[in-house]
Amino acid sequence: MIRDFSNVAANERTFLAWVRTGVAVIALGFVIERFNLFLLSIAGALAENADRLRIHRFDTPAGRYGGTALVAAGVTLIVISTVRFIHTARLLSRDEPYTAHATSVSLYVLAVLLLGVAGFSAYLAMT
């Protein structure tokens, strides 16, 4: 029998939810990257009509690097969630109480990642 199984299972469910979110962010990054390549290939094939169709305006830094940034954010999210899962599993296996200051570093990293994604989203909305 696993001691305090409900907390261990909750830790695993939380970890799997973060991994699922990270994989979804990575998949969105791939979709953005492939769609940008699709638009660029259409613009190249219809070069004489590109001015009329305004397809060439999608070739922006957001289109070029947006997918890569989302893939990197998804990988970072998975790495951070793995570290948090291992840290929480170790804390659950100990008998002595612990304070929350040990988890503040990962929360700061997640806050910076969230602000970066929000800033990038605002940039995309403005272009």
Side-chain angles (χ1 to χ4, degrees), residues 63-79:
R64 285 191 298 260
Y65 304 119
T68 306
L70 283 174
V71 169
V75 169
T76 304
L77 196 63
I78 291 173
V79 168

Side-chain angles (χ1 to χ4, degrees), residues 54-84:
R54 302 275 188 228
I55 292 176
H56 67 280
R57 66 174 236 194
F58 290 107
D59 186 26
T60 62
R64 285 191 298 260
Y65 304 119
T68 306
L70 283 174
V71 169
V75 169
T76 304
L77 196 63
I78 291 173
V79 168
I80 290 172
S81 67
T82 303
V83 170
R84 294 265 309 147

Side-chain angles (χ1 to χ4, degrees), residues 12-115:
E12 289 178 2
R13 284 191 304 269
T14 303
F15 170 66
L16 291 175
W18 278 108
V19 169
R20 183 176 59 234
T21 303
V23 169
V25 170
I26 291 171
L28 179 63
F30 279 124
V31 167
I32 288 173
E33 190 68 32
R34 294 300 171 203
F35 186 67
N36 188 48
L37 288 175
F38 173 71
L39 287 177
L40 291 176
S41 65
I42 287 178
L46 302 172
E48 64 276 356
N49 294 330
D51 287 332
R52 186 171 56 100
L53 295 176
R54 302 275 188 228
I55 292 176
H56 67 280
R57 66 174 236 194
F58 290 107
D59 186 26
T60 62
R64 285 191 298 260
Y65 304 119
T68 306
L70 283 174
V71 169
V75 169
T76 304
L77 196 63
I78 291 173
V79 168
I80 290 172
S81 67
T82 303
V83 170
R84 294 265 309 147
F85 170 73
I86 293 170
H87 178 72
T88 304
R90 286 183 183 161
L91 289 176
L92 287 173
S93 66
R94 295 184 344 181
D95 287 332
E96 65 262 8
Y98 57 93
T99 59
H101 70 81
T103 61
S104 63
V105 173
S106 58
L107 291 177
Y108 288 132
V109 172
L110 284 173
V112 168
L113 181 63
L114 178 66
L115 288 175

